């Protein structure tokens, strides 16, 4: 089995063959992937060495110390955190060849799951995929699609059998966003930006070779994506005072004239909660190192959304009138979301979306209640009703 010493040796060989100061960034990332040092827990030939996931930190520390470039997880987070684990688990050998350009950042991915007619009930989706020979013809609409304006590929779930209950008639596909019939329209947010999109699919032909998993088994495949998505959003690695708590803590230290006793008590409470959430995320990542993400990711995502909204609200109050200022309402199509590099007004407005994106807080509360706490399931009267007979 590959151990820490072996990984250090392989990392040293990579740095000797591709000195970071003299090697093009993309070329270095490709060499790192080919050396099995991208995801060390992935199989050989797919960016890994079949090593324990916990040893990734050994490689990352060596490369960081050498000043080596990294990929951009904020820009390609959907591919890294959601598409890749699903392709690894269910993909064919041909489909797994998509992992290299995904990891190095040559190709951006997006997620075609949510629909305007289904709301938080993802299993009620109505986008249809009909088999025609070796292809599937897809028609429907998706919404709240991050990075669709940048993406080359998308993970897509569509209804392939309307005659069975909603969870059983879904199939999972990989969609080429450059194919005819794929139309991306911006959705402007209260920040003025349009980082989200709505996507219209009109007679889009997807080869059956781009199907992930069995026909009708898309809901089970999608659970891999969703579990990893919640961990990716709520379980990101942060230093102490990383994330939203950082800017408000700096303001508190640098602007003593803004302090009040009430704001002090609220800041202390939120600082402690942010630190607890950060340490819980560390524990979750340690659990992932020896297994797969479970419903604990839903709890982390819940905490992430609530804390971001409460902390950004406190920051606006602390700053007073200047906290209401927002510098730029122009329409923009950003490549990534930058919470900490913007002003307090932006953070306050943008954090409102945290309790919706990646699964609404209401749905995640149900997941935590049922799968973590073991409470009785919410009554579901439609689980045995054919999708075509559901009220819409």
């Amino acid at each position: 089995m590959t151990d820490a010493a072996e990984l250090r040796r392989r990392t040293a060989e990579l740095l000797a063959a591709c000195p970071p100061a003299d090697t093009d960034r993309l070329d270095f990332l490709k060499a790192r992937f080919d050396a099995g040092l991208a995801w060390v827990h992935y199989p050989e030939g797919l960016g890994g060495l079949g090593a324990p996931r916990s040893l990734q930190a050994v490689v990352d520390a060596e490369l960081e110390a050498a000043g080596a470039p990294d990929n951009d997880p904020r820009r390609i987070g959907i591919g890294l955190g959601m598409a890749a684990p699903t392709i690894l688990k269910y993909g064919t050998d041909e489909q797994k060849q998509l992992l290299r350009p995904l990891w190095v950042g040559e190709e951006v991915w997006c997620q075609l799951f949510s629909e305007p007619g289904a709301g938080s009930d993802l299993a009620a989706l109505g986008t249809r995929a009909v088999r025609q020979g070796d292809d599937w013809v897809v028609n429907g609409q998706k919404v709240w699609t991050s990075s669709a304006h940048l993406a080359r590929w998308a993970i897509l779930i569509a209804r392939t059998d309307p005659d069975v209950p909603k969870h059983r008639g879904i199939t999972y596909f990989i969609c080429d966003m450059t194919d005819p019939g794929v139309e991306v329209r911006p959705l402007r947010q209260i920040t003025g930006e349009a980082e989200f999109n709505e996507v219209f699919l009109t007679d889009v032909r997807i080869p059956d070779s781009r199907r992930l998993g069995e026909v009708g088994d898309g809901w089970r495949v999608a659970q891999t994506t969703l579990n990893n998505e919640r961990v990716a959003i709520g379980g990101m690695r942060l230093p102490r005072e990383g994330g939203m708590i950082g800017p408000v803590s700096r303001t508190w230290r640098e602007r003593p004239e803004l302090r009040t006793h009430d704001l002090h008590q609220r800041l202390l409470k939120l600082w402690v909660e942010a630190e607890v959430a950060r340490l819980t995320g560390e524990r979750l990542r340690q659990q992932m190192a020896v297994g797969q993400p479970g419903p604990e990711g839903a709890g982390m995502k819940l905490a992430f959304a609530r804390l971001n909204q409460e902390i950004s609200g406190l920051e606006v109050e602390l700053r007073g009138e200047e906290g209401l200022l927002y510098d730029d309402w122009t329409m923009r199509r950003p490549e990534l979301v930058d919470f900490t590099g913007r002003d307090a007004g932006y953070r306050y407005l943008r954090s409102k979306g945290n309790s919706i994106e990646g699964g609404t807080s209401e749905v995640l509360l149900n997941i935590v209640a049922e799968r973590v706490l073991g409470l009785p399931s919410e009554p579901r009267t439609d689980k045995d009703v054919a999708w075509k007979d559901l009220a819409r």
Side-chain angles (χ1 to χ4, degrees):
M1 176 180 288
T2 304
D3 59 12
E6 174 66 9
L7 286 174
R8 290 191 181 94
R9 184 187 68 78
R10 288 175 178 262
T11 304
E13 289 181 352
L14 170 66
L15 292 169
C18 303
D22 303 322
T23 306
D24 175 77
R25 174 180 177 275
L26 188 59
D27 289 341
F28 183 90
L29 292 175
K30 289 178 178 179
R32 177 179 171 180
F33 185 95
D34 294 341
L37 302 174
W39 294 295
V40 298
H41 60 292
Y42 274 39
E44 291 191 44
L46 298 177
L49 297 167
R53 186 172 186 157
S54 57
L55 293 181
Q56 184 67 54
V58 174
V59 173
D60 293 345
E62 295 287 316
L63 292 176
E64 183 178 0
D70 202 353
N71 56 17
D72 189 349
R74 293 188 302 169
R75 178 174 172 269
I76 58 174
I78 293 175
L80 292 174
M82 302 168 211
T86 312
I87 293 171
L88 179 66
K89 185 172 183 178
Y90 293 99
T92 63
D93 290 342
E94 179 183 358
Q95 291 165 351
K96 289 175 183 176
Q97 299 311 303
L98 295 167
L99 292 174
R100 187 175 188 258
L102 180 159
W103 188 87
V104 303
E106 284 184 297
E107 295 175 344
V108 176
W109 286 66
C110 66
Q111 180 188 32
L112 299 177
F113 276 30
S114 297
E115 296 187 6
S120 297
D121 186 7
L122 178 60
L125 63 90
T127 293
R128 290 280 281 119
V130 178
R131 186 75 179 259
Q132 289 188 3
D134 293 332
D135 294 339
W136 294 84
V137 179
V138 181
N139 285 277
Q141 180 187 356
K142 299 291 182 175
V143 75
W144 309 124
T145 310
S146 302
S147 302
H149 56 295
L150 306 170
R152 164 64 198 279
W153 297 102
I155 44 179
L156 161 72
I157 51 177
R159 186 156 307 282
T160 50
D161 187 352
D163 297 319
V164 297
K166 59 184 181 181
H167 291 88
R168 299 207 324 251
I170 296 171
T171 302
Y172 198 118
F173 299 95
I174 296 172
C175 176
D176 187 337
M177 293 293 287
T178 66
D179 277 347
V182 179
E183 180 187 0
V184 178
R185 300 181 190 174
L187 283 175
R188 195 175 188 194
Q189 301 145 236
I190 55 175
T191 60
E193 297 177 331
E195 90 203 39
F196 294 113
N197 306 271
E198 52 184 347
V199 178
F200 293 84
L201 305 159
T202 306
D203 293 332
V204 178
R205 302 189 76 89
I206 299 179
D208 188 59
S209 59
R210 292 204 204 121
R211 169 172 48 82
L212 272 178
E214 299 299 321
V215 175
D217 199 32
W219 184 254
R220 184 165 66 94
V221 180
Q223 294 312 299
T224 297
T225 304
L226 295 173
N227 284 334
N228 281 281
E229 176 183 33
R230 291 156 190 155
V231 172
I233 294 175
M236 63 189 73
R237 186 181 298 276
L238 293 172
R240 176 172 286 190
E241 288 196 5
M244 287 285 214
I245 199 65
V248 70
S249 298
R250 285 194 297 273
T251 299
W252 181 267
R253 295 187 179 101
E254 296 168 1
R255 303 281 299 277
E257 74 277 7
L258 301 176
R259 301 173 187 169
T260 69
H261 175 73
D262 175 64
L263 290 173
H264 190 205
Q265 296 304 306
R266 290 167 60 191
L267 177 58
L268 287 174
K269 175 178 177 291
L270 289 172
W271 194 98
V272 170
E273 290 186 10
E275 182 65 5
V276 168
R278 184 182 75 84
L279 295 174
T280 302
E282 289 292 335
R283 184 171 63 184
L284 176 60
R285 281 185 292 276
Q286 291 171 9
Q287 291 172 340
M288 290 176 60
V290 294
Q292 292 292 325
E296 297 87 357
M300 285 301 302
K301 199 271 176 181
L302 268 171
F304 164 83
R306 181 184 62 81
L307 281 170
N308 273 4
Q309 292 172 358
E310 291 188 16
I311 292 170
S312 63
L314 174 65
E315 183 182 19
V316 167
E317 289 190 49
L318 174 63
R319 289 178 172 271
E321 291 182 358
E322 67 182 73
L324 299 174
L325 299 177
Y326 180 53
D327 61 352
D328 189 358
W329 293 95
T330 57
M331 168 69 167
R332 299 181 302 281
R333 306 298 302 277
E335 290 195 2
L336 50 85
V337 181
D338 182 13
F339 279 102
T340 56
R342 305 286 291 278
D343 55 30
Y346 173 84
R347 284 190 283 275
Y348 177 77
L349 293 172
R350 180 58 182 82
S351 67
K352 300 305 178 186
N354 291 160
S355 52
I356 300 172
E357 58 193 339
T360 66
S361 291
E362 292 76 14
V363 168
L364 296 180
L365 284 168
N366 275 348
I367 292 172
V368 170
E370 296 174 13
R371 302 184 194 175
V372 179
L373 302 178
L375 298 177
S377 298
E378 185 177 88
R380 294 177 173 89
T381 59
D382 63 354
K383 65 179 182 179
D384 296 320
V385 180
W387 177 84
K388 65 181 177 59
D389 296 327
L390 296 177
R392 284 183 294 279

